[in-house]
Short mmCIF file of all heavy atoms in Angstrom, two decimals:
data_model
loop_
_atom_site.label_atom_id
_atom_site.label_comp_id
_atom_site.label_asym_id
_atom_site.label_seq_id
_atom_site.Cartn_x
_atom_site.Cartn_y
_atom_site.Cartn_z
N GLN A 1264 2.58 18.68 8.85
CA GLN A 1264 1.53 18.10 8.04
C GLN A 1264 2.11 17.09 7.04
O GLN A 1264 1.43 16.16 6.66
CB GLN A 1264 0.79 19.21 7.32
CG GLN A 1264 -0.56 18.80 6.81
CD GLN A 1264 -1.30 19.97 6.22
OE1 GLN A 1264 -0.70 20.84 5.60
NE2 GLN A 1264 -2.59 20.01 6.41
N ASP A 1265 3.35 17.26 6.63
CA ASP A 1265 3.96 16.33 5.69
C ASP A 1265 4.16 14.96 6.33
O ASP A 1265 4.11 13.94 5.64
CB ASP A 1265 5.29 16.86 5.18
CG ASP A 1265 5.12 18.03 4.22
OD1 ASP A 1265 4.08 18.05 3.54
OD2 ASP A 1265 6.00 18.88 4.17
N GLN A 1266 4.39 14.92 7.64
CA GLN A 1266 4.53 13.64 8.32
C GLN A 1266 3.24 12.85 8.24
O GLN A 1266 3.25 11.64 8.06
CB GLN A 1266 4.91 13.84 9.78
CG GLN A 1266 6.28 14.45 9.96
CD GLN A 1266 6.53 14.83 11.40
OE1 GLN A 1266 5.63 14.76 12.22
NE2 GLN A 1266 7.75 15.23 11.70
N TYR A 1267 2.11 13.55 8.36
CA TYR A 1267 0.83 12.87 8.27
C TYR A 1267 0.55 12.38 6.86
O TYR A 1267 -0.05 11.33 6.67
CB TYR A 1267 -0.30 13.78 8.76
CG TYR A 1267 -0.16 14.14 10.22
CD1 TYR A 1267 0.08 15.44 10.62
CD2 TYR A 1267 -0.24 13.15 11.19
CE1 TYR A 1267 0.22 15.76 11.95
CE2 TYR A 1267 -0.09 13.45 12.52
CZ TYR A 1267 0.13 14.76 12.90
OH TYR A 1267 0.28 15.07 14.22
N THR A 1268 0.99 13.14 5.87
CA THR A 1268 0.82 12.72 4.49
C THR A 1268 1.60 11.45 4.21
O THR A 1268 1.09 10.51 3.59
CB THR A 1268 1.27 13.84 3.52
OG1 THR A 1268 0.54 15.02 3.82
CG2 THR A 1268 1.06 13.45 2.08
N THR A 1269 2.84 11.39 4.68
CA THR A 1269 3.66 10.21 4.48
C THR A 1269 3.05 9.00 5.19
O THR A 1269 2.98 7.91 4.63
CB THR A 1269 5.09 10.46 5.01
OG1 THR A 1269 5.63 11.58 4.31
CG2 THR A 1269 5.97 9.26 4.76
N ALA A 1270 2.59 9.20 6.42
CA ALA A 1270 1.96 8.11 7.17
C ALA A 1270 0.69 7.64 6.47
O ALA A 1270 0.42 6.44 6.41
CB ALA A 1270 1.66 8.56 8.59
N TRP A 1271 -0.09 8.58 5.96
CA TRP A 1271 -1.32 8.20 5.25
C TRP A 1271 -1.00 7.38 4.00
O TRP A 1271 -1.67 6.39 3.71
CB TRP A 1271 -2.12 9.43 4.88
CG TRP A 1271 -3.27 9.12 3.98
CD1 TRP A 1271 -3.41 9.45 2.69
CD2 TRP A 1271 -4.44 8.36 4.31
NE1 TRP A 1271 -4.58 8.96 2.19
CE2 TRP A 1271 -5.23 8.29 3.16
CE3 TRP A 1271 -4.88 7.73 5.46
CZ2 TRP A 1271 -6.44 7.62 3.13
CZ3 TRP A 1271 -6.10 7.06 5.43
CH2 TRP A 1271 -6.86 7.01 4.29
N ASN A 1272 0.03 7.78 3.25
CA ASN A 1272 0.41 7.02 2.06
C ASN A 1272 0.88 5.61 2.41
O ASN A 1272 0.57 4.66 1.70
CB ASN A 1272 1.49 7.76 1.27
CG ASN A 1272 0.96 8.94 0.53
OD1 ASN A 1272 -0.23 9.03 0.25
ND2 ASN A 1272 1.81 9.90 0.24
N GLN A 1273 1.61 5.48 3.49
CA GLN A 1273 2.05 4.16 3.91
C GLN A 1273 0.86 3.31 4.32
O GLN A 1273 0.77 2.13 3.95
CB GLN A 1273 3.02 4.25 5.08
CG GLN A 1273 4.38 4.71 4.67
CD GLN A 1273 5.30 4.84 5.86
OE1 GLN A 1273 4.91 5.30 6.91
NE2 GLN A 1273 6.53 4.42 5.68
N LEU A 1274 -0.06 3.89 5.09
CA LEU A 1274 -1.24 3.15 5.52
C LEU A 1274 -2.09 2.74 4.32
O LEU A 1274 -2.53 1.60 4.23
CB LEU A 1274 -2.07 3.99 6.49
CG LEU A 1274 -3.36 3.36 6.98
CD1 LEU A 1274 -3.07 2.13 7.82
CD2 LEU A 1274 -4.16 4.36 7.77
N PHE A 1275 -2.28 3.66 3.40
CA PHE A 1275 -3.06 3.36 2.20
C PHE A 1275 -2.41 2.25 1.39
O PHE A 1275 -3.07 1.30 0.98
CB PHE A 1275 -3.23 4.62 1.35
CG PHE A 1275 -4.08 4.39 0.13
CD1 PHE A 1275 -5.45 4.35 0.23
CD2 PHE A 1275 -3.49 4.19 -1.11
CE1 PHE A 1275 -6.24 4.13 -0.88
CE2 PHE A 1275 -4.26 3.97 -2.23
CZ PHE A 1275 -5.64 3.94 -2.11
N GLY A 1276 -1.11 2.36 1.18
CA GLY A 1276 -0.41 1.36 0.39
C GLY A 1276 -0.41 0.00 1.06
O GLY A 1276 -0.58 -1.03 0.41
N ALA A 1277 -0.21 -0.01 2.36
CA ALA A 1277 -0.10 -1.28 3.07
C ALA A 1277 -1.44 -1.94 3.28
O ALA A 1277 -1.57 -3.15 3.12
CB ALA A 1277 0.59 -1.07 4.41
N ALA A 1278 -2.46 -1.20 3.64
CA ALA A 1278 -3.72 -1.80 4.04
C ALA A 1278 -4.76 -1.86 2.92
O ALA A 1278 -5.26 -2.93 2.58
CB ALA A 1278 -4.30 -1.04 5.23
N VAL A 1279 -5.06 -0.74 2.35
CA VAL A 1279 -6.16 -0.67 1.39
C VAL A 1279 -5.84 -1.42 0.10
O VAL A 1279 -6.63 -2.23 -0.38
CB VAL A 1279 -6.54 0.80 1.11
CG1 VAL A 1279 -7.60 0.89 0.04
CG2 VAL A 1279 -7.00 1.47 2.38
N ILE A 1280 -4.67 -1.17 -0.46
CA ILE A 1280 -4.32 -1.82 -1.72
C ILE A 1280 -4.15 -3.32 -1.52
O ILE A 1280 -4.64 -4.13 -2.31
CB ILE A 1280 -3.07 -1.18 -2.32
CG1 ILE A 1280 -3.39 0.25 -2.73
CG2 ILE A 1280 -2.57 -1.97 -3.52
CD1 ILE A 1280 -2.21 1.05 -3.21
N THR A 1281 -3.47 -3.71 -0.45
CA THR A 1281 -3.28 -5.14 -0.19
C THR A 1281 -4.61 -5.83 0.05
O THR A 1281 -4.85 -6.92 -0.48
CB THR A 1281 -2.35 -5.34 1.03
OG1 THR A 1281 -1.13 -4.66 0.78
CG2 THR A 1281 -2.08 -6.80 1.27
N GLY A 1282 -5.47 -5.21 0.82
CA GLY A 1282 -6.79 -5.80 1.08
C GLY A 1282 -7.62 -5.95 -0.17
O GLY A 1282 -8.29 -6.97 -0.37
N SER A 1283 -7.56 -4.95 -1.04
CA SER A 1283 -8.35 -5.05 -2.27
C SER A 1283 -7.80 -6.13 -3.20
O SER A 1283 -8.56 -6.86 -3.83
CB SER A 1283 -8.41 -3.70 -2.98
OG SER A 1283 -7.14 -3.32 -3.42
N VAL A 1284 -6.48 -6.25 -3.27
CA VAL A 1284 -5.89 -7.29 -4.12
C VAL A 1284 -6.23 -8.67 -3.60
O VAL A 1284 -6.57 -9.58 -4.36
CB VAL A 1284 -4.36 -7.10 -4.23
CG1 VAL A 1284 -3.71 -8.31 -4.85
CG2 VAL A 1284 -4.05 -5.86 -5.05
N PHE A 1285 -6.14 -8.84 -2.27
CA PHE A 1285 -6.39 -10.16 -1.69
C PHE A 1285 -7.87 -10.54 -1.68
O PHE A 1285 -8.20 -11.70 -1.43
CB PHE A 1285 -5.85 -10.24 -0.28
CG PHE A 1285 -4.37 -10.51 -0.22
CD1 PHE A 1285 -3.60 -9.98 0.80
CD2 PHE A 1285 -3.74 -11.31 -1.16
CE1 PHE A 1285 -2.24 -10.24 0.87
CE2 PHE A 1285 -2.39 -11.56 -1.11
CZ PHE A 1285 -1.64 -11.01 -0.09
N THR A 1286 -8.77 -9.62 -1.95
CA THR A 1286 -10.19 -9.96 -2.00
C THR A 1286 -10.75 -9.85 -3.42
O THR A 1286 -11.12 -10.84 -4.01
CB THR A 1286 -11.01 -9.08 -1.04
OG1 THR A 1286 -10.75 -7.71 -1.32
CG2 THR A 1286 -10.64 -9.39 0.40
N TRP A 1287 -10.79 -8.65 -3.96
CA TRP A 1287 -11.43 -8.44 -5.26
C TRP A 1287 -10.67 -9.11 -6.40
O TRP A 1287 -11.27 -9.82 -7.20
CB TRP A 1287 -11.58 -6.96 -5.58
CG TRP A 1287 -12.40 -6.19 -4.61
CD1 TRP A 1287 -13.41 -6.68 -3.84
CD2 TRP A 1287 -12.29 -4.82 -4.30
NE1 TRP A 1287 -13.93 -5.68 -3.06
CE2 TRP A 1287 -13.26 -4.53 -3.33
CE3 TRP A 1287 -11.46 -3.81 -4.74
CZ2 TRP A 1287 -13.42 -3.27 -2.80
CZ3 TRP A 1287 -11.64 -2.55 -4.22
CH2 TRP A 1287 -12.60 -2.28 -3.25
N ILE A 1288 -9.39 -8.86 -6.48
CA ILE A 1288 -8.61 -9.41 -7.58
C ILE A 1288 -8.52 -10.93 -7.48
O ILE A 1288 -8.60 -11.64 -8.49
CB ILE A 1288 -7.20 -8.78 -7.64
CG1 ILE A 1288 -7.28 -7.26 -7.70
CG2 ILE A 1288 -6.39 -9.34 -8.80
CD1 ILE A 1288 -8.02 -6.71 -8.90
N ALA A 1289 -8.38 -11.43 -6.25
CA ALA A 1289 -8.33 -12.88 -6.07
C ALA A 1289 -9.64 -13.52 -6.54
O ALA A 1289 -9.63 -14.59 -7.16
CB ALA A 1289 -8.06 -13.23 -4.61
N THR A 1290 -10.75 -12.87 -6.25
CA THR A 1290 -12.05 -13.39 -6.69
C THR A 1290 -12.13 -13.42 -8.21
O THR A 1290 -12.61 -14.40 -8.80
CB THR A 1290 -13.18 -12.53 -6.12
OG1 THR A 1290 -13.11 -12.55 -4.70
CG2 THR A 1290 -14.54 -13.04 -6.56
N LEU A 1291 -11.68 -12.34 -8.85
CA LEU A 1291 -11.73 -12.29 -10.31
C LEU A 1291 -10.84 -13.35 -10.96
O LEU A 1291 -11.17 -13.88 -12.01
CB LEU A 1291 -11.30 -10.90 -10.80
CG LEU A 1291 -12.26 -9.76 -10.48
CD1 LEU A 1291 -11.63 -8.43 -10.87
CD2 LEU A 1291 -13.58 -9.95 -11.20
N LYS A 1292 -9.72 -13.65 -10.31
CA LYS A 1292 -8.79 -14.64 -10.86
C LYS A 1292 -9.11 -16.07 -10.41
O LYS A 1292 -8.46 -17.01 -10.85
CB LYS A 1292 -7.36 -14.30 -10.45
CG LYS A 1292 -6.81 -13.09 -11.13
CD LYS A 1292 -5.36 -12.90 -10.76
CE LYS A 1292 -4.72 -11.86 -11.63
NZ LYS A 1292 -3.27 -11.82 -11.44
N GLY A 1293 -10.07 -16.22 -9.52
CA GLY A 1293 -10.43 -17.55 -9.03
C GLY A 1293 -9.45 -18.09 -8.00
O GLY A 1293 -9.34 -19.31 -7.83
N LEU A 1294 -8.74 -17.22 -7.30
CA LEU A 1294 -7.78 -17.63 -6.28
C LEU A 1294 -8.42 -17.53 -4.90
O LEU A 1294 -9.41 -16.81 -4.72
CB LEU A 1294 -6.54 -16.72 -6.34
CG LEU A 1294 -5.77 -16.72 -7.66
CD1 LEU A 1294 -4.71 -15.62 -7.64
CD2 LEU A 1294 -5.16 -18.07 -7.90
N PRO A 1295 -7.88 -18.22 -3.90
CA PRO A 1295 -8.44 -18.11 -2.55
C PRO A 1295 -8.18 -16.72 -1.97
O PRO A 1295 -7.14 -16.11 -2.24
CB PRO A 1295 -7.68 -19.18 -1.76
CG PRO A 1295 -6.45 -19.45 -2.52
CD PRO A 1295 -6.77 -19.17 -3.95
N HIS A 1296 -9.14 -16.24 -1.18
CA HIS A 1296 -9.00 -14.94 -0.54
C HIS A 1296 -7.83 -14.95 0.44
O HIS A 1296 -7.56 -15.94 1.10
CB HIS A 1296 -10.27 -14.55 0.19
CG HIS A 1296 -11.38 -14.19 -0.73
ND1 HIS A 1296 -12.61 -13.81 -0.30
CD2 HIS A 1296 -11.45 -14.14 -2.08
CE1 HIS A 1296 -13.40 -13.56 -1.31
NE2 HIS A 1296 -12.71 -13.76 -2.41
N PHE A 1297 -7.18 -13.80 0.55
CA PHE A 1297 -6.06 -13.59 1.47
C PHE A 1297 -5.00 -14.69 1.33
O PHE A 1297 -4.49 -15.21 2.31
CB PHE A 1297 -6.54 -13.45 2.91
CG PHE A 1297 -7.36 -12.22 3.10
CD1 PHE A 1297 -8.74 -12.27 3.13
CD2 PHE A 1297 -6.74 -10.98 3.20
CE1 PHE A 1297 -9.50 -11.14 3.29
CE2 PHE A 1297 -7.50 -9.83 3.36
CZ PHE A 1297 -8.89 -9.90 3.40
N ALA A 1298 -4.68 -15.01 0.10
CA ALA A 1298 -3.62 -15.96 -0.26
C ALA A 1298 -3.79 -17.29 0.45
O ALA A 1298 -2.82 -17.97 0.77
CB ALA A 1298 -2.25 -15.37 0.06
N GLY A 1299 -5.01 -17.68 0.71
CA GLY A 1299 -5.27 -18.95 1.37
C GLY A 1299 -4.75 -19.00 2.80
O GLY A 1299 -4.55 -20.07 3.36
N GLY A 1300 -4.55 -17.84 3.42
CA GLY A 1300 -4.07 -17.78 4.79
C GLY A 1300 -2.56 -17.92 4.93
O GLY A 1300 -2.06 -18.06 6.04
N ASN A 1301 -1.83 -17.88 3.83
CA ASN A 1301 -0.38 -17.98 3.87
C ASN A 1301 0.18 -16.66 4.43
O ASN A 1301 0.20 -15.64 3.75
CB ASN A 1301 0.19 -18.24 2.48
CG ASN A 1301 1.67 -18.54 2.49
OD1 ASN A 1301 2.38 -18.15 3.39
ND2 ASN A 1301 2.11 -19.24 1.45
N GLN A 1302 0.64 -16.69 5.67
CA GLN A 1302 1.07 -15.47 6.35
C GLN A 1302 2.32 -14.86 5.72
O GLN A 1302 2.51 -13.65 5.76
CB GLN A 1302 1.30 -15.75 7.83
CG GLN A 1302 0.02 -16.07 8.55
CD GLN A 1302 0.24 -16.37 10.02
OE1 GLN A 1302 1.37 -16.47 10.47
NE2 GLN A 1302 -0.85 -16.51 10.74
N GLN A 1303 3.19 -15.67 5.16
CA GLN A 1303 4.40 -15.14 4.54
C GLN A 1303 4.05 -14.28 3.32
O GLN A 1303 4.62 -13.20 3.13
CB GLN A 1303 5.34 -16.27 4.14
CG GLN A 1303 6.66 -15.79 3.59
CD GLN A 1303 7.60 -16.94 3.26
OE1 GLN A 1303 7.19 -18.10 3.30
NE2 GLN A 1303 8.83 -16.63 2.94
N ILE A 1304 3.12 -14.72 2.52
CA ILE A 1304 2.71 -13.94 1.35
C ILE A 1304 2.02 -12.67 1.77
O ILE A 1304 2.25 -11.59 1.21
CB ILE A 1304 1.80 -14.80 0.43
CG1 ILE A 1304 2.61 -15.93 -0.19
CG2 ILE A 1304 1.17 -13.93 -0.66
CD1 ILE A 1304 1.78 -16.89 -1.01
N ILE A 1305 1.16 -12.75 2.79
CA ILE A 1305 0.44 -11.57 3.27
C ILE A 1305 1.43 -10.54 3.81
O ILE A 1305 1.35 -9.35 3.47
CB ILE A 1305 -0.60 -11.95 4.33
CG1 ILE A 1305 -1.71 -12.80 3.68
CG2 ILE A 1305 -1.19 -10.72 4.98
CD1 ILE A 1305 -2.67 -13.41 4.67
N LEU A 1306 2.38 -10.96 4.64
CA LEU A 1306 3.37 -10.04 5.20
C LEU A 1306 4.21 -9.41 4.10
O LEU A 1306 4.47 -8.20 4.11
CB LEU A 1306 4.26 -10.76 6.21
CG LEU A 1306 5.35 -9.91 6.86
CD1 LEU A 1306 4.72 -8.78 7.66
CD2 LEU A 1306 6.21 -10.78 7.74
N ARG A 1307 4.63 -10.20 3.14
CA ARG A 1307 5.44 -9.68 2.03
C ARG A 1307 4.65 -8.64 1.24
O ARG A 1307 5.20 -7.59 0.88
CB ARG A 1307 5.86 -10.82 1.13
CG ARG A 1307 6.84 -10.41 0.06
CD ARG A 1307 7.25 -11.57 -0.82
NE ARG A 1307 7.85 -12.63 -0.02
CZ ARG A 1307 7.84 -13.91 -0.34
NH1 ARG A 1307 7.26 -14.29 -1.46
NH2 ARG A 1307 8.40 -14.81 0.42
N ALA A 1308 3.39 -8.89 0.98
CA ALA A 1308 2.57 -7.95 0.22
C ALA A 1308 2.34 -6.66 1.00
O ALA A 1308 2.40 -5.56 0.43
CB ALA A 1308 1.25 -8.59 -0.16
N VAL A 1309 2.08 -6.77 2.30
CA VAL A 1309 1.86 -5.57 3.12
C VAL A 1309 3.13 -4.72 3.15
O VAL A 1309 3.07 -3.50 2.98
CB VAL A 1309 1.41 -5.96 4.54
CG1 VAL A 1309 1.47 -4.78 5.49
CG2 VAL A 1309 0.00 -6.53 4.52
N LEU A 1310 4.28 -5.35 3.35
CA LEU A 1310 5.53 -4.59 3.39
C LEU A 1310 5.83 -3.95 2.03
O LEU A 1310 6.23 -2.78 1.97
CB LEU A 1310 6.68 -5.51 3.81
CG LEU A 1310 6.67 -5.95 5.27
CD1 LEU A 1310 7.78 -6.95 5.52
CD2 LEU A 1310 6.79 -4.77 6.20
N LEU A 1311 5.66 -4.69 0.96
CA LEU A 1311 5.93 -4.16 -0.36
C LEU A 1311 5.02 -2.98 -0.69
O LEU A 1311 5.48 -1.93 -1.14
CB LEU A 1311 5.76 -5.25 -1.42
CG LEU A 1311 5.97 -4.80 -2.87
CD1 LEU A 1311 7.41 -4.39 -3.09
CD2 LEU A 1311 5.58 -5.90 -3.82
N ASN A 1312 3.74 -3.11 -0.43
CA ASN A 1312 2.81 -2.03 -0.73
C ASN A 1312 3.02 -0.83 0.18
O ASN A 1312 2.85 0.32 -0.23
CB ASN A 1312 1.37 -2.52 -0.66
CG ASN A 1312 1.03 -3.41 -1.83
OD1 ASN A 1312 1.51 -3.19 -2.93
ND2 ASN A 1312 0.22 -4.42 -1.60
N GLY A 1313 3.42 -1.07 1.43
CA GLY A 1313 3.75 0.04 2.32
C GLY A 1313 4.97 0.81 1.84
O GLY A 1313 5.01 2.04 1.87
N VAL A 1314 5.98 0.10 1.37
CA VAL A 1314 7.17 0.75 0.84
C VAL A 1314 6.83 1.53 -0.43
O VAL A 1314 7.33 2.64 -0.65
CB VAL A 1314 8.28 -0.29 0.57
CG1 VAL A 1314 9.41 0.29 -0.25
CG2 VAL A 1314 8.81 -0.83 1.89
N LEU A 1315 5.98 0.98 -1.26
CA LEU A 1315 5.56 1.71 -2.46
C LEU A 1315 4.79 2.97 -2.10
O LEU A 1315 4.95 4.01 -2.74
CB LEU A 1315 4.73 0.81 -3.36
CG LEU A 1315 5.51 -0.28 -4.09
CD1 LEU A 1315 4.55 -1.21 -4.83
CD2 LEU A 1315 6.51 0.29 -5.03
N GLY A 1316 3.96 2.92 -1.06
CA GLY A 1316 3.25 4.11 -0.59
C GLY A 1316 4.21 5.15 -0.06
O GLY A 1316 4.07 6.36 -0.32
N TRP A 1317 5.24 4.72 0.68
CA TRP A 1317 6.25 5.63 1.21
C TRP A 1317 7.04 6.25 0.05
O TRP A 1317 7.29 7.46 0.05
CB TRP A 1317 7.19 4.87 2.15
CG TRP A 1317 8.26 5.73 2.71
CD1 TRP A 1317 8.14 6.60 3.75
CD2 TRP A 1317 9.61 5.81 2.27
NE1 TRP A 1317 9.34 7.21 3.97
CE2 TRP A 1317 10.26 6.75 3.08
CE3 TRP A 1317 10.32 5.17 1.25
CZ2 TRP A 1317 11.60 7.07 2.90
CZ3 TRP A 1317 11.66 5.50 1.08
CH2 TRP A 1317 12.27 6.43 1.91
N GLY A 1318 7.41 5.45 -0.92
CA GLY A 1318 8.14 5.97 -2.07
C GLY A 1318 7.34 6.99 -2.85
O GLY A 1318 7.88 8.00 -3.32
N THR A 1319 6.05 6.76 -2.97
CA THR A 1319 5.20 7.72 -3.65
C THR A 1319 5.19 9.05 -2.91
O THR A 1319 5.30 10.12 -3.52
CB THR A 1319 3.76 7.17 -3.77
OG1 THR A 1319 3.81 5.96 -4.50
CG2 THR A 1319 2.85 8.16 -4.46
N ALA A 1320 5.09 9.00 -1.59
CA ALA A 1320 5.10 10.23 -0.80
C ALA A 1320 6.42 10.97 -0.93
O ALA A 1320 6.45 12.20 -1.06
CB ALA A 1320 4.83 9.91 0.67
N VAL A 1321 7.51 10.24 -0.92
CA VAL A 1321 8.83 10.87 -1.03
C VAL A 1321 9.03 11.51 -2.39
O VAL A 1321 9.52 12.63 -2.50
CB VAL A 1321 9.94 9.83 -0.74
CG1 VAL A 1321 11.30 10.35 -1.14
CG2 VAL A 1321 9.92 9.44 0.72
N TRP A 1322 8.62 10.84 -3.45
CA TRP A 1322 8.83 11.38 -4.79
C TRP A 1322 7.84 12.47 -5.16
O TRP A 1322 8.16 13.33 -5.98
CB TRP A 1322 8.78 10.27 -5.83
CG TRP A 1322 10.05 9.48 -5.83
CD1 TRP A 1322 10.22 8.25 -5.28
CD2 TRP A 1322 11.31 9.86 -6.35
NE1 TRP A 1322 11.52 7.85 -5.42
CE2 TRP A 1322 12.22 8.81 -6.08
CE3 TRP A 1322 11.77 10.98 -7.01
CZ2 TRP A 1322 13.54 8.86 -6.46
CZ3 TRP A 1322 13.11 11.03 -7.41
CH2 TRP A 1322 13.96 9.98 -7.12
N LEU A 1323 6.66 12.45 -4.58
CA LEU A 1323 5.68 13.49 -4.91
C LEU A 1323 5.91 14.78 -4.12
O LEU A 1323 5.47 15.86 -4.54
CB LEU A 1323 4.25 12.99 -4.67
CG LEU A 1323 3.74 11.98 -5.69
CD1 LEU A 1323 2.33 11.55 -5.32
CD2 LEU A 1323 3.76 12.57 -7.08
N ARG A 1324 6.58 14.69 -2.99
CA ARG A 1324 6.80 15.88 -2.17
C ARG A 1324 7.52 16.99 -2.94
O ARG A 1324 7.09 18.14 -2.92
CB ARG A 1324 7.54 15.53 -0.89
CG ARG A 1324 7.66 16.72 0.04
CD ARG A 1324 8.30 16.35 1.34
NE ARG A 1324 7.50 15.36 2.01
CZ ARG A 1324 7.97 14.51 2.91
NH1 ARG A 1324 9.24 14.55 3.25
NH2 ARG A 1324 7.18 13.65 3.50
N PRO A 1325 8.63 16.69 -3.63
CA PRO A 1325 9.30 17.80 -4.37
C PRO A 1325 8.47 18.34 -5.53
O PRO A 1325 8.69 19.45 -5.98
CB PRO A 1325 10.58 17.14 -4.92
CG PRO A 1325 10.77 15.88 -4.18
CD PRO A 1325 9.42 15.47 -3.68
N MET A 1326 7.52 17.56 -6.00
CA MET A 1326 6.72 17.99 -7.15
C MET A 1326 5.46 18.73 -6.74
O MET A 1326 4.69 19.13 -7.60
CB MET A 1326 6.36 16.78 -7.99
CG MET A 1326 7.52 16.13 -8.66
SD MET A 1326 6.99 14.83 -9.74
CE MET A 1326 7.83 13.46 -9.00
N SER A 1327 5.23 18.90 -5.44
CA SER A 1327 4.00 19.55 -5.01
C SER A 1327 4.03 21.03 -5.41
O SER A 1327 5.07 21.65 -5.48
CB SER A 1327 3.81 19.40 -3.51
OG SER A 1327 4.79 20.14 -2.82
N LEU A 1328 2.88 21.55 -5.66
CA LEU A 1328 2.76 22.93 -6.13
C LEU A 1328 2.37 23.88 -5.01
O LEU A 1328 1.86 24.96 -5.28
CB LEU A 1328 1.75 22.99 -7.28
CG LEU A 1328 2.10 22.17 -8.52
CD1 LEU A 1328 0.97 22.24 -9.54
CD2 LEU A 1328 3.39 22.67 -9.14
N ARG A 1329 2.60 23.47 -3.78
CA ARG A 1329 2.26 24.33 -2.65
C ARG A 1329 3.25 25.49 -2.57
O ARG A 1329 4.42 25.33 -2.86
CB ARG A 1329 2.27 23.56 -1.35
CG ARG A 1329 1.12 22.58 -1.24
CD ARG A 1329 1.10 21.95 0.08
NE ARG A 1329 1.66 20.60 -0.08
CZ ARG A 1329 1.96 19.82 0.90
NH1 ARG A 1329 1.81 20.20 2.13
NH2 ARG A 1329 2.44 18.61 0.67
N GLY A 1330 2.77 26.63 -2.10
CA GLY A 1330 3.63 27.81 -2.00
C GLY A 1330 4.26 27.89 -0.73
O GLY A 1330 5.06 27.88 -0.06
#
């Protein structure tokens, strides 16, 4: 089950957070959606957010209160 938790955190970090930043936050800041189609920026953001999701899963695992 821990493998699925790690995969879910990576998916959440890579897809959901990146998508929300490239749409909602860009709209609030007056920037073009999805970085104006710049694939290098999109790939960099997806990889960075996926790594942050993985790191969250790794660091939260030892702190879990499961018996």
Side-chain angles (χ1 to χ4, degrees):
Q1264 199 175 35
D1265 288 331
Q1266 294 171 353
Y1267 296 115
T1268 303
T1269 302
W1271 171 249
N1272 286 338
Q1273 285 178 319
L1274 178 65
F1275 182 79
V1279 176
I1280 294 174
T1281 304
S1283 65
V1284 168
F1285 279 147
T1286 54
W1287 300 333
I1288 305 300
T1290 300
L1291 292 173
K1292 289 185 169 189
L1294 300 171
H1296 288 180
F1297 295 100
N1301 188 336
Q1302 293 179 352
Q1303 185 177 9
I1304 292 175
I1305 293 171
L1306 179 62
R1307 187 179 302 153
V1309 168
L1310 289 175
L1311 178 66
N1312 288 325
V1314 168
L1315 288 174
W1317 180 79
T1319 300
V1321 167
W1322 283 103
L1323 287 179
R1324 186 176 299 157
M1326 293 185 240
S1327 68
L1328 298 175
R1329 290 185 257 171

